Amino acid sequence: FSGSANRQEVQSELKRPEFNIKVGAKMARINIRGAQGAISKIGWVAKSTVVRDWLSGTVRVMVISRTPVAILNTGGQNSYIDAKGVIYQDLYGPSGLPLITIEDPNLASKAATFITNLPPSFLSDLESLYLSRQGIFDMGLKFSNRTVLIRWGSWIRQEGMIPNLIEKNGKPQWESSDA
């Protein structure tokens, strides 16, 4: 778990009566699949496993949380994007990640694809990304203790342009070097 609040969210799901997970419950009546399915639907959960240990008479719950690479702000609502491009909510997620601001929520998945395909060295310098409804595309990068703003015009708004910035003919467009 990535914090006690997230632990409480999982425990709250497990206390639902249809799962019958409680002290003294008969092991055969515990709804393991239902509990695992409910936990897996929690946005910040990347993977979960719920198993019965018949010998010890216990139920074990294992949860792996998503690791965000950026914060996504769409219309004042913050979400997170993980390395696979999954957009999810986490009330107790980390701060200090690059902020992506999008005026048009329909661009969220394209922005997620764009940011998760940046090379790690480029992503580590990213402070902000802004996509407007008019197609203005601003990227703030850290450079020698300053922020450099890179701006592209409205052409970015055209269908398919963000993925074209990532790769061309199946090959990455970005090259990074430590030089």
Side-chain angles (χ1 to χ4, degrees):
F1 294 107
S2 59
S4 61
N6 286 345
R7 178 183 297 269
Q8 289 173 350
E9 187 175 2
V10 170
Q11 288 173 338
S12 174
E13 282 296 316
L14 294 174
K15 289 180 182 176
R16 292 174 33 194
E18 64 264 31
F19 304 137
N20 196 34
I21 298 177
K22 56 188 171 197
V23 175
K26 295 188 187 254
M27 292 290 282
R29 295 191 180 218
I30 294 174
N31 183 351
I32 296 294
R33 283 191 204 142
Q36 184 168 330
I39 293 169
S40 294
K41 289 180 183 175
I42 298 172
W44 56 266
V45 174
K47 183 179 179 184
S48 69
T49 306
V50 180
V51 294
R52 258 184 284 251
D53 185 337
W54 292 97
L55 294 176
S56 68
T58 60
V59 174
R60 288 185 303 155
V61 178
M62 292 156 280
V63 176
I64 299 172
S65 61
R66 297 186 188 283
T67 302
V69 296
I71 299 169
L72 176 68
N73 181 289
T74 309
Q77 175 84 22
N78 280 349
S79 301
Y80 290 92
I81 299 174
D82 73 1
K84 292 182 179 177
V86 176
I87 299 168
Y88 64 97
Q89 297 290 315
D90 186 350
L91 297 175
Y92 308 99
S95 59
L97 297 170
L99 177 64
I100 302 174
T101 305
I102 301 175
E103 289 182 359
D104 183 355
N106 295 321
L107 293 175
S109 64
K110 288 184 179 183
T113 300
F114 178 76
I115 197 163
T116 57
N117 282 287
L118 291 173
S121 61
F122 198 84
L123 184 59
S124 66
D125 291 334
L126 183 66
E127 287 186 343
S128 63
L129 183 65
Y130 173 79
L131 291 159
S132 76
R133 282 190 175 95
Q134 294 77 29
I136 297 171
F137 180 80
D138 292 341
M139 183 183 292
L141 298 169
K142 292 180 276 189
F143 182 75
S144 298
N145 296 324
R146 294 181 182 204
T147 299
V148 176
L149 181 66
I150 301 170
R151 175 172 277 184
W152 286 284
S154 61
W155 57 270
I156 197 75
R157 179 79 163 106
Q158 297 172 7
E159 185 62 33
M161 291 307 289
I162 292 175
N164 288 340
L165 286 173
I166 300 167
E167 64 181 34
K168 188 172 188 173
N169 299 326
K171 296 182 180 167
Q173 292 273 77
W174 302 100
E175 291 186 27
S176 61
S177 101
D178 295 330

